Structures are given as structure tokens and as C-alpha cells.
Amino acid sequence: MSSSAKYFGVIPARAGSKGVKNKNIRPVAGRPLIGWTIESALKSAVLDRVVVTTEDEGIASVARGLGAEVPFMRPAELARDDVPNIEAVLHAVRWLDEHQDYRPEYTVLLQPTSPLCAPEDIAAACKMAQERGLDAVVSVRPVQDHPAWMRSVAKNGRTSAYLPNVRELPRRQTLLPLHITNGAIFVVKTEILLDQRTYEPEDTYAYVMSSTRSFEIDTEWDLHVAELVLNDRLQRAKV
């Protein structure tokens, strides 16, 4: 078994999407949505390989044209709505191990629905894992709406603090900083991924990304916002 490679980048992209039809290959600022993640992965210069796992020939063709590898087609049973994407990632890792004698130290899951994730984010998360010998690193962003400000609303309209023992709204300066997973980057040791079937084992550490690069695409409105942001980025790059 070969272990010369250190970081394997895998991008899951199935054809089905309930929220946004053909989401992964919808045009956003002049290129397919998945193209932004592929570009960041390739430009990060830390990934030994960048592989897209998909069951769809159209997505596969687009991904190859953008520079990613598609060495296999994902089985249809792993592309259903009710199948978590970790099953597709595990299939990709096992397929490459069995068919190409390839098993890197780390597997890096990247999401096509996080088009604002920058190459330097991917590189920094991988570097953090390597330099500190961590089992896993997950990208997070600062929480904007703190749970201490959240309210529950009963059917009759009566509202109360969501957190117990919160009687008055605390000032922002007094709140403990919180973060939330932003879905962009998961770096995990391949052996742990295979053994524990999780991206976030007990020894998982946070790579904090800025909120401005932590945007996720779930709706048509999200696509519209991403189009505006990425077009602005492209225009600024020309100046």
C-alpha cells in the first residue's frame, strides 16, 4: 500500500438537489458553482490529488474540464437524498486504495456549496493538522446570532428566552465567543475516517474562517448573493 501522498482532496457532487436544481453546475459569476471549489483546491498547492465523486456524467465532464479528477463514477445507491455524503467519501477513499494503491495520510473534504472558501483557507487548515499532528481539523466561523439572544415562541405567540436563566439580554462584550461549523473544510486522518466513520473524532480542532468566506449555498437567494460577491471579487482583481 502506497502512502507517499499526504493530503487527498475530495469534492462530493451529486446531481439531485431539492433546494436548487442542478446546483453544483449552475453558473455563478461565469463558471459552474463547483468550479470555485475546484479552483481553490488546485490553487491551495497542498493537495496531492483533487477528486470529484459523482454519479452524474454531466457533472463528471464539467469537473474534468475544470482540472479535477473523476477516476470512477459513484454508485447510484450512494447518491440518494437520504444517504449522508460521508458514505460517498468513504467509497472514494476505498476505491482509490483498492484500484490505485493510493491511501494518503489525510483526507480533505471540500464542499462545492462553499464557493467563497479561499485556497489559503485550505492550505492553512492542512498545515494546522500537519504541524500539530492533529487527528482532524474542521472549519468554523464566528456565531453572529448568539444563543443568549434567541427566543422561543409558543403557538399562542408568547415568547421567552431560549436559554434557561437568561432574564435580560446580555451585552455582546460580555458573551463568550462561539463558533459554528461552516461546512467548507474537513481535514481528517484517513485511518480515523475509515475506522470511526466520522470527520470529527474526539481530537478535532477548529480552523476559524472569516464570516465573509463562510457562505453556504442552499437556496436560489444564496446563489444570487454568491454571484454578486464573486463578480465583485473578479472586478477587484482586475484593478
Side-chain angles (χ1 to χ4, degrees), residues 5-11 41-42 46-52 67-72 95-97 99-104 106 108 110:
K6 185 167 289 291
Y7 297 105
F8 160 54
V10 56
I11 303 172
L42 295 173
V46 296
L47 302 178
D48 181 66
R49 300 176 69 173
V50 176
V51 169
V52 170
E69 298 180 56
V70 189
F72 57 84
W95 192 96
L96 292 169
D97 188 18
H99 292 83
Q100 298 185 355
D101 196 27
Y102 175 84
R103 184 183 290 194
Y106 284 96
V108 183
L110 303 170

Side-chain angles (χ1 to χ4, degrees), residues 34-115:
I34 194 175
W36 293 99
T37 297
I38 291 174
E39 179 184 65
S40 289
L42 295 173
K43 286 186 175 180
S44 71
V46 296
L47 302 178
D48 181 66
R49 300 176 69 173
V50 176
V51 169
V52 170
T53 169
T54 184
E55 86 293 0
D56 184 77
E57 291 287 355
I59 293 177
S61 178
V62 168
R64 292 189 185 103
L66 293 167
E69 298 180 56
V70 189
F72 57 84
M73 296 303 295
R74 188 196 307 186
E77 61 268 23
L78 297 182
R80 301 195 313 267
D81 288 340
D82 60 344
V83 177
N85 71 5
I86 193 170
E87 297 298 335
V89 173
L90 288 167
H91 170 266
V93 171
R94 290 170 180 149
W95 192 96
L96 292 169
D97 188 18
E98 294 172 7
H99 292 83
Q100 298 185 355
D101 196 27
Y102 175 84
R103 184 183 290 194
E105 182 178 353
Y106 284 96
T107 296
V108 183
L109 167 65
L110 303 170
Q111 303 277 27
T113 49
S114 297

